[in-house]
Short mmCIF file of all heavy atoms in Angstrom, two decimals:
data_model
loop_
_atom_site.label_atom_id
_atom_site.label_comp_id
_atom_site.label_asym_id
_atom_site.label_seq_id
_atom_site.Cartn_x
_atom_site.Cartn_y
_atom_site.Cartn_z
N GLU L 26 76.06 109.03 111.55
CA GLU L 26 76.18 107.87 110.61
C GLU L 26 75.33 106.80 111.21
O GLU L 26 75.46 106.38 112.42
CB GLU L 26 77.60 107.45 110.62
CG GLU L 26 78.61 108.42 109.91
CD GLU L 26 78.48 108.42 108.45
OE1 GLU L 26 77.82 107.54 107.92
OE2 GLU L 26 79.06 109.27 107.70
N ARG L 27 74.56 106.13 110.26
CA ARG L 27 73.82 105.03 110.68
C ARG L 27 74.19 103.74 110.06
O ARG L 27 73.80 102.64 110.53
CB ARG L 27 72.27 105.18 110.23
CG ARG L 27 71.63 106.43 110.94
CD ARG L 27 71.36 106.20 112.42
NE ARG L 27 70.66 107.17 113.06
CZ ARG L 27 71.32 108.14 113.74
NH1 ARG L 27 72.62 108.04 113.98
NH2 ARG L 27 70.60 109.02 114.38
N SER L 28 75.13 103.71 109.20
CA SER L 28 75.61 102.58 108.53
C SER L 28 77.17 102.43 108.72
O SER L 28 77.95 103.30 108.25
CB SER L 28 75.31 102.53 107.02
OG SER L 28 76.01 101.52 106.37
N LEU L 29 77.54 101.40 109.45
CA LEU L 29 78.91 101.17 109.59
C LEU L 29 79.74 100.89 108.30
O LEU L 29 80.75 101.26 108.05
CB LEU L 29 79.21 100.10 110.64
CG LEU L 29 80.78 99.50 110.87
CD1 LEU L 29 81.39 100.68 111.46
CD2 LEU L 29 80.67 98.35 111.88
N VAL L 30 78.96 100.11 107.41
CA VAL L 30 79.47 99.71 106.17
C VAL L 30 79.81 100.94 105.39
O VAL L 30 80.87 101.17 104.72
CB VAL L 30 78.55 98.89 105.43
CG1 VAL L 30 79.04 98.61 103.87
CG2 VAL L 30 78.39 97.55 106.11
N GLN L 31 78.85 101.93 105.29
CA GLN L 31 79.06 103.17 104.56
C GLN L 31 80.20 103.98 104.97
O GLN L 31 81.02 104.67 104.37
CB GLN L 31 77.81 104.05 104.45
CG GLN L 31 76.83 103.28 103.58
CD GLN L 31 75.54 104.22 103.49
OE1 GLN L 31 75.32 105.26 104.12
NE2 GLN L 31 74.70 103.87 102.44
N ALA L 32 80.25 103.97 106.48
CA ALA L 32 81.34 104.84 107.04
C ALA L 32 82.69 104.22 106.65
O ALA L 32 83.60 104.98 106.37
CB ALA L 32 81.10 104.85 108.60
N VAL L 33 82.83 102.88 106.78
CA VAL L 33 84.00 102.19 106.34
C VAL L 33 84.38 102.48 104.91
O VAL L 33 85.44 102.79 104.55
CB VAL L 33 84.07 100.78 106.73
CG1 VAL L 33 85.29 100.11 106.14
CG2 VAL L 33 83.97 100.53 108.17
N ARG L 34 83.35 102.50 104.19
CA ARG L 34 83.65 102.61 102.65
C ARG L 34 84.12 104.15 102.27
O ARG L 34 85.10 104.23 101.51
CB ARG L 34 82.30 102.45 101.91
CG ARG L 34 82.41 102.58 100.35
CD ARG L 34 81.08 102.35 99.68
NE ARG L 34 80.40 101.18 100.02
CZ ARG L 34 79.16 101.07 100.05
NH1 ARG L 34 78.33 101.93 99.65
NH2 ARG L 34 78.50 99.88 100.42
N LYS L 35 83.55 105.03 102.95
CA LYS L 35 83.99 106.43 102.84
C LYS L 35 85.41 106.57 103.31
O LYS L 35 86.25 107.26 102.69
CB LYS L 35 83.14 107.48 103.62
CG LYS L 35 81.79 107.59 102.72
CD LYS L 35 81.01 108.80 103.40
CE LYS L 35 80.27 108.33 104.76
NZ LYS L 35 79.31 109.38 105.19
N GLN L 36 85.87 105.94 104.44
CA GLN L 36 87.22 106.01 104.93
C GLN L 36 88.14 105.34 104.03
O GLN L 36 89.25 105.83 103.76
CB GLN L 36 87.33 105.42 106.34
CG GLN L 36 86.70 106.15 107.38
CD GLN L 36 87.54 107.35 107.88
OE1 GLN L 36 87.62 107.67 108.98
NE2 GLN L 36 88.27 107.79 107.00
N VAL L 37 87.71 104.23 103.33
CA VAL L 37 88.59 103.48 102.38
C VAL L 37 88.90 104.36 101.27
O VAL L 37 90.03 104.46 100.77
CB VAL L 37 87.98 102.16 101.99
CG1 VAL L 37 88.81 101.65 100.93
CG2 VAL L 37 88.01 101.22 103.25
N GLU L 38 87.84 105.08 100.70
CA GLU L 38 88.03 105.97 99.58
C GLU L 38 89.00 107.12 99.90
O GLU L 38 90.00 107.37 99.09
CB GLU L 38 86.64 106.53 99.26
CG GLU L 38 85.78 105.66 98.56
CD GLU L 38 84.49 106.37 98.15
OE1 GLU L 38 84.49 107.65 97.99
OE2 GLU L 38 83.39 105.74 97.98
N ALA L 39 88.91 107.68 101.07
CA ALA L 39 89.89 108.71 101.51
C ALA L 39 91.11 108.18 101.71
O ALA L 39 92.24 108.71 101.30
CB ALA L 39 89.38 109.43 102.74
N PHE L 40 91.23 106.98 102.24
CA PHE L 40 92.60 106.34 102.52
C PHE L 40 93.35 106.10 101.17
O PHE L 40 94.45 106.37 101.20
CB PHE L 40 92.30 105.02 103.16
CG PHE L 40 93.56 104.32 103.57
CD1 PHE L 40 94.17 104.43 104.95
CD2 PHE L 40 94.24 103.45 102.95
CE1 PHE L 40 95.26 103.91 105.22
CE2 PHE L 40 95.48 102.80 103.15
CZ PHE L 40 95.98 102.96 104.41
N ARG L 41 92.59 105.69 100.28
CA ARG L 41 93.20 105.40 98.89
C ARG L 41 93.86 106.71 98.28
O ARG L 41 94.82 106.58 97.55
CB ARG L 41 92.30 104.66 98.04
CG ARG L 41 92.04 103.22 98.41
CD ARG L 41 90.90 102.55 97.58
NE ARG L 41 90.67 101.26 97.82
CZ ARG L 41 89.68 100.55 97.33
NH1 ARG L 41 88.63 101.12 96.65
NH2 ARG L 41 89.55 99.23 97.69
N ALA L 42 93.07 107.80 98.40
CA ALA L 42 93.54 109.07 97.92
C ALA L 42 94.63 109.77 98.71
O ALA L 42 95.08 110.80 98.27
CB ALA L 42 92.28 109.98 97.72
N SER L 43 94.79 109.36 99.98
CA SER L 43 95.70 110.01 100.84
C SER L 43 97.12 109.73 100.47
O SER L 43 97.54 108.59 100.06
CB SER L 43 95.45 109.66 102.41
OG SER L 43 96.46 110.20 103.25
N SER L 44 98.06 110.71 100.77
CA SER L 44 99.54 110.47 100.54
C SER L 44 100.10 109.84 101.70
O SER L 44 101.31 109.46 101.66
CB SER L 44 100.07 111.90 100.25
OG SER L 44 99.92 112.71 101.40
N GLY L 45 99.40 109.69 102.77
CA GLY L 45 99.94 109.04 104.04
C GLY L 45 98.97 109.16 105.10
O GLY L 45 98.62 110.08 105.78
N ALA L 46 98.25 107.96 105.37
CA ALA L 46 97.04 107.92 106.25
C ALA L 46 97.23 107.15 107.48
O ALA L 46 96.39 107.21 108.35
CB ALA L 46 95.88 107.41 105.51
N TRP L 47 98.40 106.55 107.73
CA TRP L 47 98.46 105.72 108.89
C TRP L 47 98.57 106.40 110.25
O TRP L 47 98.14 105.91 111.25
CB TRP L 47 99.63 104.74 108.73
CG TRP L 47 99.48 103.68 107.74
CD1 TRP L 47 99.89 103.59 106.48
CD2 TRP L 47 98.57 102.64 108.06
NE1 TRP L 47 99.48 102.48 105.88
CE2 TRP L 47 98.60 101.79 106.82
CE3 TRP L 47 97.74 102.08 109.11
CZ2 TRP L 47 97.90 100.60 106.69
CZ3 TRP L 47 97.11 100.92 108.89
CH2 TRP L 47 97.14 100.23 107.76
#
Side-chain angles (χ1 to χ4, degrees):
E26 293 282 353
R27 294 292 180 260
S28 169
L29 178 60
V30 172
Q31 287 184 351
V33 171
R34 186 184 304 157
K35 285 189 281 188
Q36 285 284 212
V37 169
E38 288 183 19
F40 185 92
R41 288 173 175 167
S43 175
S44 61
W47 283 105

